[in-house]
Amino acid sequence: MQAKETLFADLVQGKAQQFQVPLYQRTYSWTERQLGQLWADILEQAELLEAGDRASTHFLGSVVLAPSPQNEVMFPQWLVVDGQQRLTTLSLALAAIRDHIADAQPDEAERIDEEYLINKRKNGTAYFRLLPTQADRPQFAAHIRGPLDNQVSGGNVGRAYDFFRRKLLEAEDPAAPRDVFRIEQAITYRLTLVAVTAERGDNVHRIFESLNNTGLKLSQADLLRNYLFMRMPTRGEHVYETYWLPLQNSLSNDELEQLMWLHLVLGGDDRVRRQDLYASQQQHFERREFTEAEIEAYIRDLYRHGALFRRLLHPEEEPDPAVRAHVRRLGTWQAQVSYPALMLLLERRERGEVGSSDTARAMSYIESFLVRRMICRVPTNNLNRIFQAVPGQMPLDVPVADGLRQLLSADNRFWPDDDELREKIRKAPFYQYGRWHQRKMVLQRLEESYGHPEPVDFASARLTIEHVLPQSAGDEWMRMLSEDASDTETPEDLHARLRHTLGNLTLTAVNSELSNHPFERKQDLLKGSHLEMNRRIAATDRWGAREILARADDLAERAIALWPAPLRGIGRAERTRDWQLAHQVLAALPHGTWTSYGDLAAFLGSGAQAVGNHLAATPGVANAHRVLTSEGKIPDGDRWTSRGEDGAVRARLTADGIRFTVNGAADPTQRKSADDLALLITDSDDVEADDEDTAQRTVRGQSEESRADRFFRQLATDDSPETVDAVRALFTGWEKLGGWVSHGAGQAITSAYLMLGEAGAPGRGIWPLTLYPGGGRGGTAEVVFQHLAAREPFTDRGLRAELLRRLNEMKGVDIPEGKLELRPSFRLSVLEDSRNRELLAETLAWFRGRWEARDTA
């Protein structure tokens, strides 16, 4: 190999030649993020040229070239082993400059064309100086040849070209005009490359693997595709056009990678991880010398599986209505974890081993397995292992559907039976487990079980989850609960224990109107509902503990009928999950926090006495000493004080950061409620502040105005005009800082997110605050510490603590340090104070500065 530093002009200018992107390469993938960084570098070099600096250049990266098999002495042709993203981007930038000046200076436009973009005297594909991979050729050719038509609009190539056209127009700003030829010169003579040229016989794929460490990282699918087509010198073109290109066009890159992984799993590999896909397949193909025909057979089989996989991604493509309904529900559940089992069923049906009715029955077992585990709060951390093992463990001596049911009923699969399902529906805080769309789907299926003659169109109905007994209960509700409370349980304890259970939850489109009104007011609204479950609630005389439990029992029987139970007698593990959950959440208690027996019991769906008995009888439970009475007192007669250790316990609590009031009670601001405990062990990506907000995020141009109007209308219903004006000013200030405001899709409660990052780019956004209208209780700003803990640079706890300190400088805001792992709130009404608005503006500017400096810290 030879390596030398060069410039883009020196690489591509002059004699007729061509740089070919091999068909096995990924398609053009640069997005506005990479384009924006390159444009900033180009402008910087243009400014240096303007200032007379001829020495400074910008290093763009490497380009790895190898002689093409079609190479000719009079027409050199090179394979671009690495660097195609850079070369394509620079070519599109020059095409945009050419078109920008074409009308005013046609001769200069022609010069740019002939020097960098085309081989004037060549025909066909040889006409282009750069020839992208087949999937990108039509768009790239249209932008190089021009003029454009509607059929070639869109796509990453088109978006990159449009980006540069837009930036060139911005560069004509009369206040600070930029010379377009300086920009051209910056691209062609100021961006340096290292050109690595391989000789014939060099292993260019190994070079490609080792040097691909810049730009967008190649996926496992990219690497495997490259490897396979490198090994198909004679059949590659045909296989690519016949199988690979249609497959690639029908699936996204991530979906294609998932399909490749599923193909391995269906073959019985129950251990391979997606991130090891390439290494595993490479090892497979190198165990012996595979022929081109064998590799073609593998790609053909992948193509066949792709058609089945699309049915999981797009249920409308499934012809059988019963199977389609199950696939659609599992899609709503976001049950990608079950794909190995679902693909196995579709493949067995395609081979004629099972009919559609039994396929649907088998899918009902998968749905039941997932739903029952969610309702019974079984952790999801082993689901990947369970479903990945299905293809290799399916019994061979029984029908497919029966075999799957038998497999999922086996030891340690934890498919809850009917008795456990009944118990959890009565006691477990359903609203605090699973994801919002899963909870909503459970309630939707239960509503459908009533068989209403005029069923609700759930696709168009804007239904949200409503607590009949409100989350924040007023005096009338507490008086009703006092009638049901026992001698050992206060109305407050009863409220905490029952409010999130399934028996107290329903679906409604009038959540904001129901709010926390007394039951009589809710009755009037629920009577007019189209949902049968709401009519039945409205038909009761009161809504207390007895009614909630009675409804829970009814819903449990409906759930048992909807979701089949596991087989009996397969062998089941002892159920100690609830106490494992208690140990888990106690171990997660942050420094400087405590909880009560009632809080822990409400979180578990248990009783306070049972919690006390367990902790007293179980030595070695982490932070068990931080479970106190509801008043924050060390309980008399527990295993600590019975040994005369009351003083020692208090000293230990003090060492753990617990403060005590003058009357000897733990500081109530450090107490973790049942809701707080639920957040401690919930994945931050799964947390949604309220089921009423569907967690959909909007970007500018997608109904943003109507959602913004709805947000402020809801805010104004119970906040003062001064608060509303302060929030409007907050949004304006945030946008001046370079942020943007995204609104949730909820109708009852429309949230607002103060966003940084690229609009609409998943995984890149970050936000410090989520704002909610009050729904009768005053608007709040939620500080999303839990979200920030997983986003750089705020994975650093010290930065989150500094954010907390700054917010607490505002008058009326006092967030305990123990909330640093959670999502605490403060009232938006504090922003009526001018000094508070100044402090918050300074805090948000600090936040933006820390985030922007994350890559240079």
Side-chain angles (χ1 to χ4, degrees):
M1 289 190 302
Q2 297 179 351
K4 66 175 182 178
E5 184 171 304
T6 188
L7 301 169
F8 181 81
D10 294 337
L11 185 69
V12 304
Q13 198 177 21
K15 61 184 179 181
Q17 59 179 328
Q18 188 175 68
F19 300 88
Q20 302 170 351
V21 179
L23 59 86
Y24 56 74
Q25 286 269 29
R26 66 178 173 182
T27 55
Y28 180 70
S29 306
W30 272 27
T31 64
E32 191 148 324
R33 185 180 185 184
Q34 290 82 29
L35 297 173
Q37 182 59 58
L38 174 63
W39 182 251
D41 295 333
I42 291 171
L43 291 184
E44 180 182 32
Q45 291 301 316
E47 289 173 359
L48 290 172
L49 280 170
E50 192 72 31
D53 184 342
R54 302 285 172 177
S56 301
T57 58
H58 176 76
F59 177 63
L60 192 58
S62 62
V63 176
V64 181
L65 306 173
S68 169
Q70 291 85 35
N71 195 28
E72 300 172 9
V73 174
M74 300 303 294
F75 183 48
Q77 294 164 278
W78 304 93
L79 293 180
V80 183
V81 180
D82 188 36
Q84 65 123 333
Q85 304 285 335
R86 301 182 189 91
L87 295 183
T88 305
T89 303
L90 296 179
S91 297
L92 290 170
L94 289 168
I97 292 174
R98 175 203 65 193
D99 295 342
H100 183 77
I101 63 174
D103 290 339
Q105 296 172 287
D107 291 340
E108 290 295 330
E110 185 178 0
R111 175 188 60 79
I112 293 173
D113 227 0
E114 294 179 8
E115 287 185 0
Y116 304 115
L117 300 177
I118 65 171
N119 297 309
K120 187 176 181 179
R121 292 178 173 80
K122 295 289 182 179
N123 298 314
T125 58
Y127 178 75
F128 303 101
R129 195 72 57 94
L130 174 69
L131 188 65
T133 189
Q134 283 173 309
D136 287 328
R137 284 179 194 173
Q139 276 215 344
F140 185 84
H143 286 86
I144 299 302
R145 284 189 185 275
L148 300 178
D149 58 47
N150 293 333
Q151 293 182 336
V152 297
S153 61
N156 285 337
V157 168
R159 282 189 282 272
Y161 173 84
D162 291 341
F163 171 87
F164 290 116
R165 287 301 303 267
R166 187 172 70 249
K167 290 300 180 181
L168 289 167
L169 290 172
E170 292 175 7
E172 291 184 337
D173 181 3
R178 297 179 184 274
D179 186 341
V180 67
F181 294 104
R182 294 286 189 198
I183 294 175
E184 179 208 342
Q185 191 177 358
I187 292 171
T188 53
Y189 287 97
R190 304 283 291 193
L191 302 179
T192 60
L193 299 161
V194 169
V196 180
T197 307
E199 302 291 343
R200 290 192 181 275
D202 287 340
N203 191 332
V204 293
H205 182 63
R206 291 298 187 201
I207 300 170
F208 177 78
E209 277 187 293
S210 62
L211 291 182
N212 185 63
N213 58 0
T214 58
L216 286 176
K217 183 177 176 62
L218 284 185
S219 70
Q220 295 288 300
D222 291 327
L223 290 168
L224 183 55
R225 177 199 59 225
N226 300 349
Y227 175 79
L228 292 172
F229 281 99
M230 282 275 191
R231 295 171 64 107
M232 300 183 70
T234 63
R235 296 283 296 167
E237 193 81 23
H238 168 74
V239 172
Y240 187 91
E241 292 180 355
T242 307
Y243 301 114
W244 191 272
L245 191 56
L247 182 64
Q248 182 173 279
N249 289 338
S250 68
L251 299 172
S252 70
N253 197 63
D254 184 68
E255 291 164 352
L256 184 57
E257 180 177 303
Q258 192 171 19
L259 173 64
M260 289 175 162
W261 174 79
L262 285 168
H263 188 274
L264 271 176
V265 174
L266 290 172
D269 193 337
D270 63 352
R271 296 183 179 275
V272 66
R273 302 179 303 170
R274 274 186 64 175
Q275 57 264 43
D276 299 329
L277 166 68
Y278 168 64
S280 177
Q281 283 290 54
Q282 184 186 35
Q283 186 179 25
H284 168 72
F285 282 110
E286 291 184 353
R287 287 193 185 113
R288 64 178 177 82
E289 195 64 32
F290 276 76
T291 66
E292 285 194 62
E294 289 174 312
I295 296 175
E296 179 179 347
Y298 164 78
I299 295 173
R300 188 168 58 247
D301 203 33
L302 200 65
Y303 173 78
R304 180 178 61 83
H305 276 142
L308 300 179
F309 186 44
R310 275 190 59 87
R311 297 182 185 180
L312 302 183
L313 302 174
H314 307 283
E316 64 276 7
E317 296 181 10
E318 166 57 44
D320 183 80
V323 173
R324 183 167 62 246
H326 281 292
V327 171
R328 183 170 284 124
R329 280 198 296 271
L330 288 167
T332 300
W333 192 267
Q334 294 185 7
Q336 289 89 343
V337 69
S338 66
Y339 280 176
L342 295 174
M343 284 288 289
L344 176 73
L345 293 173
L346 294 179
E347 184 181 43
R348 294 284 182 91
R349 185 183 64 168
E350 185 184 45
R351 296 202 312 234
E353 297 177 18
V354 61
S356 288
S357 61
D358 277 347
T359 300
R361 180 163 65 91
M363 288 181 176
S364 76
Y365 298 141
I366 295 173
E367 181 182 325
S368 173
F369 183 76
L370 294 171
V371 171
R372 284 181 175 235
R373 282 171 58 105
M374 189 277 275
I375 293 175
C376 294
R377 300 159 65 84
V378 182
T380 61
N381 51 5
N382 65 341
L383 283 177
N384 278 310
R385 179 182 57 80
I386 289 172
F387 281 108
Q388 191 169 341
V390 164
Q393 294 181 357
M394 279 286 285
L396 301 177
D397 54 348
V398 294
V400 173
D402 297 328
L404 180 63
R405 188 180 191 184
Q406 178 180 318
L407 185 63
L408 294 178
S409 299
D411 283 344
N412 301 319
R413 295 298 193 272
F414 299 116
W415 185 358
D417 59 21
D418 292 347
D419 290 339
E420 185 175 4
L421 187 63
R422 288 189 184 96
E423 179 188 5
K424 291 305 181 187
I425 287 178
R426 282 177 65 90
K427 296 181 177 180
F430 174 80
Y431 189 72
Q432 292 180 322
Y433 204 75
R435 297 185 176 184
W436 67 271
H437 53 271
Q438 294 169 347
R439 298 191 288 268
K440 186 176 177 182
M441 196 194 93
V442 168
L443 283 163
Q444 177 180 323
R445 290 279 279 144
L446 289 169
E447 167 62 26
E448 291 170 338
S449 73
Y450 289 100
H452 197 283
E454 296 181 5
V456 173
D457 181 3
F458 288 99
S460 59
R462 296 180 178 274
L463 299 176
T464 59
I465 295 179
E466 160 73 5
H467 290 72
V468 185
L469 169 64
Q471 297 190 67
S472 300
D475 293 339
E476 292 187 42
W477 283 103
M478 298 310 291
R479 281 195 294 271
M480 182 184 296
L481 289 176
S482 66
E483 299 172 8
D484 299 331
S486 65
D487 294 338
T488 60
E489 191 172 34
T490 67
E492 290 75 16
D493 291 336
L494 194 59
H495 175 258
R497 180 163 62 85
L498 292 176
R499 59 178 170 166
H500 292 322
T501 59
L502 188 55
N504 185 50
L505 301 174
T506 189
L507 293 171
T508 178
V510 291
N511 196 297
S512 59
E513 286 88 344
L514 292 169
S515 188
N516 58 348
H517 291 301
F519 183 60
E520 291 77 9
R521 169 62 176 151
K522 291 195 172 190
Q523 272 183 306
D524 294 338
L525 291 168
L526 293 173
K527 283 177 183 176
S529 172
H530 291 292
L531 274 66
E532 183 64 26
M533 64 169 62
N534 290 340
R535 295 178 181 181
R536 296 192 177 203
I537 293 170
T540 60
D541 295 330
R542 65 193 295 276
W543 196 256
R546 294 191 300 272
E547 292 74 23
I548 291 172
L549 292 174
R551 180 169 181 264
D553 291 338
D554 175 64
L555 294 180
E557 296 310 312
R558 294 181 178 279
I560 287 169
L562 280 172
W563 294 295
L567 297 173
R568 294 184 178 273
I570 301 298
R572 306 191 61 74
E574 180 184 355
R575 301 187 188 282
T576 58
R577 292 191 305 277
D578 285 347
W579 297 131
Q580 292 171 352
L581 196 61
H583 301 172
Q584 183 184 357
V585 77
L586 288 177
L589 276 177
H591 181 80
T593 62
W594 62 277
T595 192
S596 74
Y597 290 101
D599 291 326
L600 186 55
F603 163 71
L604 295 172
S606 180
Q609 185 174 354
V611 169
N613 291 339
H614 174 77
L615 294 181
T618 310
V621 178
N623 292 323
H625 63 287
R626 289 207 248 164
V627 184
L628 309 176
T629 69
S630 58
E631 294 81 20
K633 297 292 186 68
I634 299 169
D636 295 330
D638 70 5
R639 71 185 182 93
W640 301 100
T641 55
S642 62
R643 302 174 187 173
E645 297 178 349
D646 181 63
V649 175
R650 176 161 175 164
R652 187 170 178 182
L653 289 167
T654 302
D656 286 342
I658 307 299
R659 300 184 295 269
F660 286 86
T661 63
V662 291
N663 64 353
D667 187 341
T669 66
Q670 296 180 301
R671 176 178 173 178
K672 293 289 187 197
S673 68
D675 292 346
D676 292 336
L677 295 176
L679 285 174
L680 286 176
I681 59 170
T682 302
D683 189 317
S684 63
D685 290 335
D686 294 346
V687 172
E688 301 302 338
D690 199 310
D691 274 325
E692 297 152 1
D693 188 334
T694 65
Q696 295 175 2
R697 307 291 180 251
T698 61
V699 296
R700 283 167 235 161
Q702 296 180 351
S703 302
E704 184 75 19
E705 183 176 3
S706 63
R707 292 183 183 182
D709 289 344
R710 188 189 313 136
F711 170 83
F712 280 108
R713 174 175 55 78
Q714 293 171 355
L715 185 66
T717 58
D718 60 349
D719 272 294
S720 70
E722 290 78 13
T723 297
V724 175
D725 289 343
V727 173
R728 289 188 186 277
L730 171 66
F731 289 178
T732 300
W734 180 246
E735 290 173 347
K736 288 181 179 178
L737 286 172
W740 51 285
V741 180
S742 175
H743 291 279
Q747 294 290 316
I749 298 293
T750 302
S751 51
Y753 298 77
L754 302 187
M755 300 292 301
L756 287 172
E758 186 178 339
R764 292 189 187 144
I766 189 171
W767 63 97
L769 299 176
T770 307
L771 277 61
Y772 296 94
R777 297 177 295 276
T780 57
E782 180 185 71
V783 190
V784 291
F785 290 124
Q786 188 178 37
H787 156 79
L788 295 175
R791 267 78 173 178
E792 295 292 350
F794 296 95
T795 51
D796 181 350
R797 193 176 191 276
L799 286 180
R800 301 199 305 279
E802 174 63 12
L803 175 59
L804 173 70
R805 184 194 68 77
R806 288 171 173 269
L807 292 171
N808 279 342
E809 288 183 353
M810 292 191 291
K811 185 179 179 181
V813 178
D814 185 17
I815 301 172
E817 186 179 352
K819 301 282 189 178
L820 263 183
E821 315 302 326
L822 302 175
R823 305 164 82 97
S825 300
F826 60 84
R827 292 290 182 191
L828 290 175
S829 56
V830 303
L831 298 181
E832 292 181 14
D833 183 276
S834 60
R835 178 55 181 158
N836 280 350
R837 292 197 296 273
E838 292 174 5
L839 290 169
L840 182 57
E842 293 170 3
T843 298
L844 293 175
W846 169 85
F847 181 92
R848 183 210 59 181
R850 297 303 306 180
W851 182 73
E852 289 184 339
R854 66 196 182 283
D855 294 331
T856 59

